[in-house]
Amino acid sequence: KVGANKAQNIENALAKIRYAVTDKGARVVALPECFNSPYGTQHFPAYAEEIPTGETSRSLAAIAKELGIYLIGGTIPEKCKTDSQLYNTCTVWSPDGDLMATYRKIHLFDINIPGGITFRESDVLTGGSSLATVSIDGAKIGIGICYDIRFDELARLYRNEGCDMLIYPGAFNMKTGPLHWELLARGRANDTQSYVATISPARDPSAGYVAWGHSMVVDPWAKVITEAGEEEATVVADVNLQTVDEVRAQIPIFSQRRTDLYKTEGEQLLHNITITKGPLDVEQLIMLELDYRVSPIQSEQITFVQLRGTGPGCSASISNNVDRKKRLLGTVSSVTQLKEFTVNLSVYGITRVNVR
C-alpha cells in the first residue's frame, strides 16, 4: 500500500524487493505505479524528484546493486531539471546499480465516466515521447505505464522491436479495474505473443484514489500464470523464452500479416530474397546472419535450392537450424566441391542478410 509518508513508502518498497529476492529467488523485480506517492494530481508536484539524483532513485540504485538484480522501478513523479515539467516515469536499474533506461508515460490518464471516475493527469503531467526497451538475460523487455496498456499500437511497436515481454506498472481503479485490468493484460499478451506483467499498488479503501490491485503475469498464450489479490503481495513467475518462440512458431501471425494493406512503424516484409555464393568445399559451414526485428525465423520458411557440384552425379544437402541469436546455419555435405548455391528466402521482418 502507498501512504502519505514518502520515506515510509520507499522503505516499504525496499523491504518488498528484498523479500522477493531473498525469499522468492527473483532475478528481476518490478514495482507498481506511483509507489512513493499517493496517486493524484494534487500530490504529484510535492512528491516529484529528479532522476537519478533524487532520494527514490538513489535508494533503488543501491538495493539493485546490493542484491545484484535487475529492478523495474515502478513509477515516480519526475521533476525534469531541463524543462521544469513533471512526468510519470519508470526507471530500470542494473545489478551494478546503473540506470539502464527511463520511460515517461506516453498516454496520460484523462477520462470522464459519469457516476464512475473523472481524472486528468494532463492537468499537471506532461506525456513522454519515446519508447524504452532493455535486454535482460537474453530477453528483450518493453516498458509501458498503466493507461499505455490500452493502446495496442504501442505494444505492436515493442513487438516490432523484438520484445519478448512487456511490463506495465499501473494503478487501475475500482471502476475500470474489474472490467479491463485482466482483459487488457491478456489482450496485449495475445496480440504480441509475449509475456505481460502488470504491477499495481495494493488496495487501500481509505485512499483518495483506490487502486484495483491484482498484479499479474500473463504468458504468450494469454494465460494468467500468477495473480495477486487486492492486498499487499509478492507474485513470482518463471519466464521461459522457449514458450515465446513456440507460440510464435505455432501461430505465426506476424509472418501472415498483410502489410501490403496495413503496417506499423518499423515493419518490413521482404519476399524472395536470392543470394548466390560459391564455390564451397565439402562439409564447409554456411552461415546466414539474419538481422530481424519481429519474430524468430522458422526453418520451414527458408529453402536452399540449386545446389550444383563440380562433377557428374554430385549432390548436396542443407540442414537448417535457427537459434535465438538470429542465425541460420547450414552445412554442405556429400559433395566433393560445391560450385555455387542459391538461397531463396521468404521471411517476415528481415532488415539485413549476410552470408559467409
Side-chain angles (χ1 to χ4, degrees):
K1 294 181 180 180
V2 177
N5 188 309
K6 183 177 182 180
Q8 287 183 0
N9 291 336
I10 296 172
E11 286 302 316
N12 187 34
L14 297 179
K16 295 296 188 291
I17 294 169
R18 196 178 304 280
Y19 172 76
V21 176
T22 58
D23 287 47
K24 298 292 186 178
R27 169 70 170 160
V28 181
V29 180
L31 296 174
E33 183 180 24
C34 279
F35 73 91
N36 74 342
S37 163
Y39 186 72
T41 54
Q42 71 274 29
H43 301 298
F44 295 152
Y47 287 78
E49 59 184 67
E50 294 180 3
I51 295 173
T53 57
E55 60 179 310
T56 305
S57 292
R58 296 196 307 271
S59 297
L60 297 181
I63 198 165
K65 184 175 182 179
E66 174 194 341
L67 299 176
I69 60 167
Y70 292 94
L71 179 57
I72 315 296
T75 83
I76 65 171
E78 177 199 2
K79 179 170 59 178
C80 182
K81 184 176 181 179
T82 57
D83 62 14
S84 300
Q85 300 295 316
L86 298 181
Y87 298 91
N88 190 350
T89 303
C90 177
T91 57
V92 183
W93 305 89
S94 77
D96 295 323
D98 296 326
L99 182 61
M100 297 176 65
T102 58
Y103 172 81
R104 291 168 169 170
K105 188 174 187 178
I106 291 176
H107 303 95
L108 297 182
F109 181 49
D110 288 2
I111 67 169
N112 180 22
I113 304 175
I117 181 174
T118 298
F119 202 99
R120 287 184 53 84
E121 276 189 323
S122 63
D123 285 345
V124 296
L125 298 180
T126 299
S129 57
S130 60
L131 282 64
T133 63
V134 291
S135 294
I136 297 177
D137 293 346
K140 192 170 186 179
I141 299 173
I143 307 296
I145 298 173
C146 198
Y147 200 55
D148 286 330
I149 200 172
R150 291 187 177 275
F151 298 86
D152 63 303
E153 297 91 344
L154 177 61
R156 176 76 65 182
L157 290 178
Y158 279 131
R159 177 70 162 86
N160 292 350
E161 291 292 328
C163 287
D164 306 289
M165 185 174 191
L166 306 178
I167 294 181
Y168 296 91
F172 273 35
N173 53 75
M174 296 301 295
K175 177 66 176 181
T176 61
L179 294 172
H180 300 151
W181 178 256
E182 179 181 330
L183 173 69
L184 288 167
R186 296 182 65 193
R188 297 296 81 83
N190 184 67
D191 293 343
T192 62
Q193 299 175 311
S194 307
Y195 282 93
V196 170
T198 54
I199 309 95
S200 171
R203 189 180 307 172
D204 181 0
S206 66
Y209 179 96
V210 182
W212 169 241
H214 292 272
S215 299
M216 66 177 59
V217 180
V218 182
D219 74 8
W221 288 108
K223 177 183 177 182
V224 177
I225 56 177
T226 185
E227 179 182 0
E230 64 187 59
E231 300 295 331
E232 285 192 354
T234 300
V235 296
V236 178
D238 291 327
V239 173
N240 186 346
L241 298 183
Q242 184 176 350
T243 303
V244 178
D245 292 344
E246 289 174 352
V247 172
R248 294 176 180 181
Q250 293 170 24
I251 309 177
I253 56 174
F254 273 73
S255 63
Q256 297 167 337
R257 285 170 53 78
R258 287 291 305 275
T259 54
D260 57 323
L261 300 177
Y262 52 80
K263 64 180 179 179
T264 51
E265 182 179 347
E267 293 186 21
Q268 187 172 3
L269 182 62
L270 303 180
H271 283 297
N272 301 322
I273 306 169
T274 299
I275 304 168
T276 300
K277 188 176 179 66
L280 298 172
D281 294 329
V282 63
E283 300 297 337
Q284 181 169 340
L285 180 69
I286 301 170
M287 179 183 292
L288 299 183
E289 294 182 329
L290 308 178
D291 184 3
Y292 63 89
R293 301 178 63 185
V294 180
S295 60
I297 306 303
Q298 301 174 42
S299 59
E300 61 267 27
Q301 293 176 287
I302 300 174
T303 57
F304 292 83
V305 298
Q306 298 180 15
L307 297 173
R308 295 183 293 180
T310 57
C314 288
S315 63
S317 63
I318 298 290
S319 59
N320 300 342
N321 182 51
V322 179
D323 61 21
R324 288 189 60 83
K325 295 181 180 179
K326 308 174 185 176
R327 296 179 300 173
L328 183 140
L329 306 179
T331 302
V332 180
S333 59
S334 304
V335 63
T336 55
Q337 187 184 49
L338 187 66
K339 184 176 181 180
E340 69 177 22
F341 73 91
T342 299
V343 183
N344 286 342
L345 303 178
S346 180
V347 184
Y348 178 76
I350 293 179
T351 57
R352 178 180 59 83
V353 180
N354 287 333
V355 181
R356 69 170 188 258

